[in-house]
Amino acid sequence: MPFFKITLIRSSIGLPRKTQGVLNALGLRKRMATVFQPINPSVAGQIMKVKELVAVSEVEDAMTDAEMRTMRKPDPGYYIEKPGLGAELRNLIFFLFLLRWTRKTVLQFKGRGLLGSISEAYISIRRALYGIFLRTPGVHTRVQKQVSEAISKLEGKLVPKGPGTNRYLTLPKEAWTQDQVIAELDKLGEMEHTRWEDGLVSGAVYHGGGSLIKLQAHAFQKFNVANPIHPDIFPGVRKMEAEIVAMVLAMFNAPRGAAGVTTSGGTESILMACLSARQKARTERGVTEPEMIVPETAHAAFQKAASYFNMKIHVVACPGPSYTVHIPSVSRLINSNTVLLVGSAPSFPHGIVDDISSLSQLALRKKGSLPLHVDCCLGSFLVPFLERAGFPTVPFDFSLKGVTSIGCDTHKYGFAPKGNSTLLYRNTYLRTYQYFILPDWSGGVYASPSIAGSRPGALIAGCWASLMSQGESGYIDACHRIVGAAKRIESAIREHTSLREDLSVMGKPLVSVLAFTSRTLNVYDLADAMSAKGWHLNALQSPPAIHVAVTLPLVTAVDRLIADLVAVVEEEKEKERVRIAEGKGAKGGAKGDAAALYGVAGSLPNKSVVVQLAGGFLDTLYKA
């Protein structure tokens, strides 16, 4: 016998006698409530729900005396309602809703634990409340005024103005001569800038030498109009691109059957790796709410990929003193929605290589294995040659069975022209998940291997020429010089009497990047002081630090860097002594650009102001 919904209503006292008789037959005498009661369907189907006392007469009219006599009495105080299709559907939707959020809650507590979940909730609430505070009329007006002033100051630095500045906002009425164009290009190239040519810039310019630039220029000229989307028209470009991928695969111990693509840079390599993992999980496991797990020091492009491709991203702490990703936290966060694990070799902020071996084991533990992407875009042509250049190394490449993809920038320490990178896969079928193919387009069958359609064949030619002209011996020599210079800087910070008491290197960097922080000085003041001496170093946050990415130009300026750093530290220590003597306290009075930006960013629970500043910076880039 089926179950039907039974609802209690309030007292029947005061109703007409005939109505009370119906209610008595139904046993409806008590206050409202709801239970489930078995009843004969032939009778139950004729009994309607009574929500208001006036509706009782409708029940009375709908029942005959015979029906009342033959009706099975439910427990006292109840009447019966047969749920319709709408009610059943409503219950089903509610059940699915409850099931989904119960599952989300379980996964949240499994991945972050009770304290971690409470901490995340607190941070979110604090951020939201501070956002509301920033939008209050008085505060909002003041903040917007300060943001506008900061952006105007930035525009004054980046956008040339004043006498002698020519602005070209429309096409010239008459074509310029080649000499005119060349003269203007020379003038643009000589605009005031940080002297990367003298080795004063951290990273940014991965210069392979003057002779290599001339060779790349020749390759550009030869393949200036080439487009690899037309391999039949430009077969030489197709050949060079395939050979670039093959050479880089060999560097990373790729197994037989491995594959890869070239991309426009490290960001596109990361985007494509994330897209491939998402599509693989959707196709093979039916995952519709994809998640990836990344170290907090992983490149920002993983956050961009999560935003672009609607993926949830779990950011895992990289605590000191090692600053590698916390493996137990990664393990706890893995669930049925996980589509990708990530490790860096090395990370951009601190130059630390994550524990790729442990990540590989985690990836293989999952049935069918999870994709594991190693971001080696920064390490590129250094990490594979560390051992042969005489430096310690750790496992990080396809020799680990769990590694399924690797990103390697040929335009960094491969010295190729900017706009070159590679994405490598353990096998060809993983690569197919990043393809876009449209078979029924009116313009013909459309297929592209990555985000771009048309691509500059000249860049591919420049990359191929760089790899061939350097060879293994050239890259081993460059690795020896670059990593050796980074080791000298690290040793100076750890051992120099003027540096070791105030500065500390973060973790154990293995490659070309190292970061240092300070427990006694405002590290952003140090960054601004180094800028005043002509250096362009990278300020970090969470925790505050400075990082140096050594390049070939910087190798020649290492002694100057160390000497300037010693001088700056001594100057800042003297300022601290004066502050303390004046009773102002230590680490005060930060006034420079880095201190202003990162000091504010680190202190704000809601980063909307920083977002506005960054957006203003991007807008400024397009002001002619």
Side-chain angles (χ1 to χ4, degrees):
M1 184 174 293
F3 280 76
F4 294 94
K5 186 177 178 183
I6 311 299
T7 302
L8 246 63
I9 64 171
R10 51 191 159 176
S11 172
S12 61
I13 296 174
L15 293 176
R17 187 177 62 178
K18 187 176 180 181
T19 300
Q20 288 188 31
V22 175
L23 295 176
N24 289 338
L26 295 173
L28 293 171
R29 297 189 185 93
K30 300 182 181 178
R31 65 184 183 280
M32 298 188 70
T34 301
V35 295
F36 285 89
Q37 176 83 8
I39 197 66
N40 191 317
S42 64
V43 176
Q46 301 180 50
I47 301 177
M48 303 171 61
K49 180 177 181 181
V50 182
K51 289 186 177 179
E52 303 293 340
L53 291 178
V54 69
V56 173
S57 60
E58 298 176 6
V59 176
E60 178 183 336
D61 294 339
M63 299 175 61
T64 64
D65 291 340
E67 288 170 339
M68 289 175 59
R69 287 194 299 271
T70 59
M71 183 183 71
R72 174 180 173 180
K73 255 191 177 183
D75 289 345
Y78 300 97
Y79 86 97
I80 333 157
E81 173 201 6
K82 179 178 180 180
L85 180 61
E88 292 177 350
L89 183 60
R90 190 164 56 249
N91 291 339
L92 177 62
I93 293 173
F94 175 74
F95 174 76
L96 294 176
F97 173 82
L98 191 63
L99 179 65
R100 178 182 180 185
W101 282 99
T102 300
R103 181 171 179 271
K104 284 180 175 289
T105 303
V106 170
L107 292 178
Q108 170 67 25
F109 283 116
K110 173 183 176 292
R112 296 296 186 183
L114 178 60
L115 294 180
S117 299
I118 292 174
S119 176
E120 285 188 352
Y122 168 76
I123 292 171
S124 298
I125 293 171
R126 185 166 174 252
R127 182 186 299 119
L129 292 176
Y130 197 82
I132 294 173
F133 168 73
L134 290 176
R135 290 193 295 272
T136 55
V139 175
H140 179 75
T141 302
R142 183 177 177 182
V143 167
Q144 291 305 308
K145 180 181 178 181
Q146 293 177 345
V147 168
S148 298
E149 290 174 352
I151 293 175
S152 297
K153 182 181 177 181
L154 182 64
E155 183 178 331
K157 288 185 176 182
L158 293 179
V159 183
K161 295 179 181 178
T165 300
N166 296 318
R167 302 172 67 207
Y168 306 104
L169 306 182
T170 60
L171 287 172
K173 297 297 183 181
E174 300 295 334
W176 283 17
T177 65
Q178 288 192 15
D179 289 341
Q180 285 178 298
V181 174
I182 292 172
E184 187 65 19
L185 288 173
D186 290 340
K187 183 179 177 181
L188 292 168
E190 293 167 2
M191 287 178 66
E192 184 179 353
H193 62 280
T194 304
R195 297 294 301 174
W196 65 264
E197 300 92 339
D198 299 332
L200 301 184
V201 174
S202 166
V205 181
Y206 298 86
H207 193 280
S211 60
L212 181 57
I213 286 183
K214 291 181 180 179
L215 179 62
Q216 291 168 349
H218 179 77
F220 265 65
Q221 185 178 19
K222 189 72 174 178
F223 293 91
N224 184 49
V225 299
N227 184 351
I229 202 173
H230 304 293
D232 53 336
I233 303 175
F234 305 106
V237 171
R238 188 217 63 80
K239 181 176 182 292
M240 287 187 288
E241 183 173 27
E243 290 174 351
I244 290 168
V245 171
M247 285 187 273
V248 181
L249 281 169
M251 284 169 44
F252 287 88
N253 295 310
R256 184 183 297 274
V261 296
T262 67
T263 67
S264 62
T267 292
E268 187 181 2
S269 292
I270 289 171
L271 291 176
M272 291 293 94
C274 294
L275 177 64
S276 172
R278 189 196 74 170
Q279 297 302 95
K280 178 180 184 294
R282 177 179 293 178
T283 302
E284 298 179 7
R285 296 192 283 127
V287 176
T288 57
E289 297 181 343
E291 302 177 4
M292 58 177 162
I293 305 171
V294 307
E296 65 180 349
T297 54
H299 197 278
F302 289 102
Q303 302 274 1
K304 180 185 283 190
S307 176
Y308 283 2
F309 303 140
N310 194 27
M311 302 171 70
K312 182 176 181 179
I313 188 166
H314 293 286
V315 179
V316 179
C318 300
S322 68
Y323 296 98
T324 59
V325 66
H326 190 242
I327 299 298
S329 295
V330 176
S331 179
R332 286 195 299 269
L333 284 165
I334 295 175
N335 59 54
S336 57
N337 285 332
T338 304
V339 302
L340 182 66
L341 305 182
V342 172
S344 303
S347 66
F348 172 83
H350 312 134
I352 304 298
V353 177
D354 284 317
D355 187 354
I356 307 299
S357 295
S358 295
L359 289 173
S360 173
Q361 293 173 9
L362 285 180
L364 292 172
R365 185 187 305 172
K366 177 74 175 178
K367 183 179 179 182
S369 77
L370 281 173
L372 168 60
H373 179 73
V374 178
D375 178 19
C376 200
C377 288
L378 180 57
S380 59
F381 280 59
L382 295 180
V383 184
F385 296 111
L386 279 175
E387 187 174 9
R388 294 160 71 179
F391 300 108
T393 188
V394 292
F396 68 95
D397 59 14
F398 287 118
S399 61
L400 298 172
K401 301 297 184 183
V403 174
T404 55
S405 59
I406 298 175
C408 171
D409 279 2
T410 45
H411 70 196
K412 284 194 173 71
Y413 294 105
F415 309 131
K418 274 296 181 182
N420 276 291
S421 182
T422 55
L423 175 56
L424 316 174
Y425 290 104
R426 179 171 287 275
N427 51 55
T428 55
Y429 93 90
L430 289 171
R431 180 177 61 182
T432 61
Y433 284 116
Q434 77 164 61
Y435 290 170
F436 178 81
I437 301 173
L438 186 63
D440 53 358
W441 180 41
S442 59
V445 177
Y446 180 90
S448 67
S450 55
I451 290 179
S454 293
R455 293 177 292 139
L459 284 177
I460 294 172
C463 178
W464 184 89
S466 302
L467 270 57
M468 297 301 288
S469 66
Q470 292 292 113
E472 285 191 359
S473 61
Y475 288 120
I476 292 172
D477 178 66
C479 178
H480 182 78
R481 295 165 61 193
I482 292 169
V483 178
K487 298 293 185 185
R488 286 179 58 198
I489 298 172
E490 179 185 356
S491 297
I493 294 173
R494 293 188 189 276
E495 300 170 7
H496 197 289
T497 54
S498 297
L499 300 179
R500 65 189 181 191
E501 294 180 0
D502 298 284
L503 305 183
S504 57
V505 176
M506 302 179 70
K508 296 180 179 180
L510 292 181
V511 202
S512 59
V513 176
L514 69 145
F516 59 90
T517 186
S518 177
R519 296 180 299 274
T520 60
L521 303 173
N522 188 312
V523 75
Y524 298 135
D525 283 339
L526 295 178
D528 288 322
M530 290 296 286
S531 295
K533 290 183 176 292
W535 289 94
H536 186 283
L537 306 182
N538 300 92
L540 309 176
Q541 57 183 342
S542 303
I546 298 173
H547 109 160
V548 180
V550 179
T551 61
L552 278 181
L554 198 149
V555 168
T556 62
V558 167
D559 291 335
R560 177 179 171 182
L561 173 65
I562 295 172
D564 284 349
L565 188 58
V566 170
V568 163
V569 168
E570 290 295 340
E571 291 169 4
E572 291 302 316
K573 287 169 67 175
E574 179 60 27
K575 291 178 182 178
E576 292 296 319
R577 286 191 286 267
V578 172
R579 290 187 189 116
I580 294 173
E582 294 176 349
K584 296 180 180 179
K587 292 189 178 183
K591 298 295 184 183
D593 292 341
L597 175 60
Y598 290 101
V600 170
S603 64
L604 295 177
N606 184 296
K607 308 296 183 184
S608 58
V609 174
V610 181
V611 171
Q612 288 185 64
L613 289 171
F617 166 76
L618 295 177
D619 289 339
T620 301
L621 299 181
Y622 296 95
K623 288 185 179 293

